[in-house]
């Protein structure tokens, strides 16, 4: 899935694979249903926001579909020893993944989740911008030229960004408490977990909808912690 197009791979009745590239809009979505019978199960990779319009379309048309974590697809491709990468090959691997793994039907999140996710993404984006401009200030201060005007401009931008961040964080906190009040209290009761970490955990996991244990949460996040051993003999 990309902003303008999406690549599909379809398994036919004779087990052959057909590939098509379609526009990522309502015209392309209608063409997709022309290529695939109504009993097909659609599988797509979660790609930021580019896959969401297709999700809404399939949901509205009562189609069976799954949205798979991008890391799961990546690991599946690596397991098949595929080194070269292209949209066409990725589409076929996603198709094969769906045939072999039979992922569960996607549960469309509620409107509040999408609102919280959008605000959370904006916070992450603005936070990265603050870091970027702080790095620019650091670099400018190291130059042996007069950088006062540039540095002042950068600092004003940072000031404005931080002001917007506070507004977004307050709005996200309000929406989270409206959407998942009990879960917010539970997560924040954990020592060391503040408002920002609480928001990330709840939004990232869709209110822990797909995680029932800490092992699943670790796997969902793409982490693989190992027990530390000092190597000392006792």
């Amino acid at each position: 899935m990309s902003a303008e197009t999406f690549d599909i791979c379809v398994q036919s009745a004779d087990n052959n694979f057909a590939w098509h590239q379609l526009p990522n809009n309502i015209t392309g979505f209608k063409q997709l249903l022309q290529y695939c019978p109504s009993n097909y199960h659609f599988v797509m990779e979660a790609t930021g926001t580019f896959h969401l319009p297709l999700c809404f379309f399939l949901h509205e048309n009562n189609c069976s579909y799954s949205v798979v974590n991008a890391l799961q697809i990546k690991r599946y491709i690596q397991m098949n020893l595929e080194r070269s990468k292209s949209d066409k090959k990725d589409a076929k691997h996603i198709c094969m993944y769906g045939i072999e793994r039979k992922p569960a039907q996607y549960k469309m999140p509620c409107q509040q989740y999408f609102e919280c996710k959008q605000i959370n993404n904006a916070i992450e984006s603005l936070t990265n911008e603050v870091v970027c401009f702080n790095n620019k200030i650091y670099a400018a201060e190291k130059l042996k030229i007069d950088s006062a005007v540039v540095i002042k401009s950068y600092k004003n931008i940072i000031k404005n960004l931080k002001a917007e961040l506070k507004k977004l964080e307050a709005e996200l906190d309000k929406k989270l408490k409206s959407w998942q009040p009990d879960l917010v209290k539970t997560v924040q009761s954990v020592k060391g977990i503040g408002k920002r970490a609480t928001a990330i955990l709840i939004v990232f996991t869709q209110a822990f909808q797909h995680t029932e244990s800490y092992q699943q949460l670790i796997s969902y996040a793409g982490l693989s912690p190992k027990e530390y051993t000092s190597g000392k003999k006792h």
Side-chain angles (χ1 to χ4, degrees), residues 41-43 65-68 97-105:
H41 183 87
F42 301 89
V43 181
Y65 67 102
S66 301
V67 180
V68 182
Y97 177 93
I99 294 168
E100 294 179 12
R101 302 298 175 87
K102 296 179 173 56
Q105 167 72 26

Side-chain angles (χ1 to χ4, degrees), residues 4-191:
E4 301 298 328
T5 62
F6 66 103
D7 294 81
I8 67 169
C9 180
V10 185
Q11 186 189 40
S12 58
D14 57 4
N15 292 327
N16 288 321
F17 293 95
W19 173 82
H20 306 278
Q21 186 177 78
L22 305 173
N24 192 0
N25 54 36
I26 190 66
T27 299
F29 303 157
K30 290 180 178 179
Q31 289 177 353
L32 174 65
L33 294 187
Q34 292 176 357
Y35 288 125
C36 304
S38 59
N39 63 334
Y40 267 43
H41 183 87
F42 301 89
V43 181
M44 71 188 79
E45 182 182 26
T47 53
T49 59
F50 296 147
H51 70 287
L52 290 178
L54 179 56
C55 280
F56 293 135
F57 176 83
L58 294 175
H59 181 74
E60 291 169 0
N61 285 272
N62 298 315
C63 296
S64 175
Y65 67 102
S66 301
V67 180
V68 182
N69 186 292
L71 184 62
Q72 289 178 269
I73 298 297
K74 181 180 179 180
R75 293 287 182 263
Y76 176 81
I77 293 174
Q78 291 174 339
M79 188 176 65
N80 283 275
L81 303 178
E82 180 65 69
R83 292 188 177 183
S84 58
K85 181 176 175 61
S86 68
D87 292 339
K88 185 175 181 178
K89 286 185 176 181
D90 285 352
K92 183 176 181 180
H93 280 295
I94 294 173
C95 181
M96 292 169 61
Y97 177 93
I99 294 168
E100 294 179 12
R101 302 298 175 87
K102 296 179 173 56
Q105 167 72 26
Y106 182 68
K107 296 180 180 179
M108 178 63 72
C110 63
Q111 185 71 22
Q112 289 170 301
Y113 161 74
F114 287 111
E115 292 174 358
C116 290
K117 183 179 180 181
Q118 185 179 48
I119 297 174
N120 188 67
N121 289 346
I123 290 172
E124 290 183 357
S125 179
L126 292 187
T127 300
N128 290 335
E129 288 292 319
V130 171
V131 173
C132 178
F133 280 102
N134 275 322
N135 290 339
K136 290 179 183 291
I137 291 173
Y138 177 80
E141 289 173 340
K142 294 297 182 181
L143 296 175
K144 294 181 179 180
I145 59 175
D146 184 4
S147 304
V149 174
V150 173
I151 291 174
K152 182 179 179 181
S153 178
Y154 286 162
K155 287 183 177 180
N156 286 334
I157 292 173
I158 291 173
K159 182 179 178 181
N160 292 331
L161 287 172
K162 287 183 175 180
E164 293 303 315
L165 276 170
K166 286 185 178 180
K167 294 177 185 178
L168 288 172
E169 287 169 351
E171 184 65 20
L172 179 57
D173 185 58
K174 183 173 71 174
K175 285 187 177 292
L176 282 173
K177 288 178 178 177
S178 174
W179 173 39
Q180 296 287 340
D182 295 335
L183 188 55
V184 169
K185 290 181 181 178
T186 300
V187 175
Q188 288 186 344
S189 68
V190 179
K191 188 176 180 180

